Amino acid sequence: MIGVYVTAQVKPECKAEFLALVQAFIQESRTHAGCISYDCGAVNGETDQYCFIERWQSQADLDAHMQTDFFTANAPKLVAMTVNGLAIHTLSLL
């Protein structure tokens, strides 16, 4: 099983647009093959800091997710709304 956590510092002026797009990511990604869970939330105690937490059945499922039309069209939009891009980390869950 593959875990993913992604952190993002959102530009204050982009917060509403970011949150709307995040909701679309959550809804869409949960329908993708191999998605066990896909969530995002505000980091407690941090201004405009968000974290995505995902679990995928396999690396192949995660790779397929990242090749979907939805992901390729919308991930750059998320990046543009951040201060320094998305910090993406994957792990092999025990």
Side-chain angles (χ1 to χ4, degrees):
M1 187 178 332
I2 302 297
V4 180
Y5 70 96
V6 178
T7 57
Q9 182 74 34
V10 178
K11 295 173 185 174
E13 67 273 16
C14 297
K15 186 174 177 179
E17 184 181 3
F18 177 84
L19 292 175
L21 187 53
V22 164
Q23 287 300 320
F25 261 91
I26 291 168
Q27 290 177 341
E28 175 70 22
S29 298
R30 287 178 177 173
T31 70
H32 294 177
C35 180
I36 298 168
S37 63
Y38 194 103
D39 296 287
C40 182
V43 177
N44 293 336
E46 300 290 333
T47 303
D48 299 322
Q49 182 81 25
Y50 291 84
C51 183
F52 291 83
I53 301 174
E54 311 168 29
R55 291 186 340 172
W56 296 89
Q57 287 287 342
S58 69
Q59 184 65 51
D61 291 323
L62 174 58
D63 292 344
H65 159 70
M66 294 185 340
Q67 295 301 316
T68 62
D69 291 341
F70 179 87
F71 187 92
T72 59
N74 290 291
K77 294 175 186 176
L78 282 181
V79 171
M81 293 183 239
T82 67
V83 174
N84 292 315
L86 302 172
I88 302 170
H89 308 277
T90 59
L91 26 128
S92 297
L93 296 172
L94 304 174

